[in-house]
Amino acid sequence: MAQMKIEDIRAMTDDQRDDAVLNLKKERFNLRFQRATGQLENTSRMKEARRDIARIKTVAAQVRAKKK
């Protein structure tokens, strides 16, 4: 999965954003295990996943703030 774009995240529904965060957290969990066992090849993906989660949560907070 490539880095997510802000426009794509804003186009998502709240449920889609929640699902995306959940999937990214699962991916990070698996990446941590791969790193621990020496199987991780793309080490930069851990950083990208972490930043994607933060990006989604930031957009979600902005959307919630606009609704109030």
Side-chain angles (χ1 to χ4, degrees):
M1 178 185 255
Q3 186 178 27
M4 300 185 89
K5 304 269 190 234
I6 292 290
E7 299 84 30
D8 297 337
I9 297 170
R10 285 197 177 116
M12 292 179 178
T13 64
D14 290 340
D15 290 337
Q16 288 174 326
R17 279 192 285 270
D18 292 342
D19 289 343
V21 169
L22 184 64
N23 288 336
L24 285 165
K25 285 183 178 183
K26 287 179 183 177
E27 180 182 357
R28 282 194 61 218
F29 180 79
N30 290 330
L31 290 170
R32 283 197 306 268
F33 269 91
Q34 288 177 17
R35 183 177 63 182
T37 59
Q39 297 174 350
L40 183 61
E41 295 179 10
N42 185 3
T43 56
S44 65
R45 183 62 194 136
M46 292 186 71
K47 184 177 182 180
E48 289 173 11
R50 187 181 73 236
R51 289 186 175 182
D52 284 343
I53 291 169
R55 194 173 291 117
I56 293 169
K57 286 185 173 185
T58 300
V59 170
Q62 290 172 347
V63 169
R64 279 193 307 273
K66 283 184 182 180
K67 288 181 181 177
K68 287 187 176 182

